[in-house]
């Protein structure tokens, strides 16, 4: 499943509410993994959701 995250998007981890910055896809063939600025290892993207702008 491809997520519609764009580089620079703020995403929140569903289980604990921590905020991260999406910086790109992982080099693997699995679209479920990507990278966030705050972590060195790939993260499982279905565990995250995009933070919507409040305007």
């Amino acid at each position: 499943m491809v997520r519609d995250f764009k580089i620079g998007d703020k995403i929140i981890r569903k289980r604990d509410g921590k905020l991260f910055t999406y910086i790109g896809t992982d080099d693997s063939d699995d679209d479920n993994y990507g990278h966030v600025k705050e972590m060195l290892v790939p993260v499982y993207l279905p565990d995250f959701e995009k933070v919507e702008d409040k305007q």
Side-chain angles (χ1 to χ4, degrees):
M1 171 185 263
V2 176
R3 301 282 169 202
D4 61 348
F5 300 145
K6 294 179 179 59
I7 293 174
D9 279 352
K10 297 295 181 189
I11 59 176
I12 193 166
R13 189 164 48 196
K14 295 175 187 176
R15 68 182 151 115
D16 61 9
K18 287 189 178 183
L19 191 64
F20 297 88
T21 305
Y22 179 75
I23 59 171
T25 58
D26 185 44
D27 292 336
S28 71
D29 292 334
D30 192 342
D31 290 336
N32 285 320
Y33 288 89
H35 290 279
V36 294
K37 182 178 179 180
E38 297 78 6
M39 297 179 74
L40 296 175
V41 297
V43 297
Y44 186 63
L45 295 175
D47 290 342
F48 294 81
E49 58 189 23
K50 186 175 177 180
V51 175
E52 300 297 328
D53 292 332
K54 295 177 183 174
Q55 293 181 346

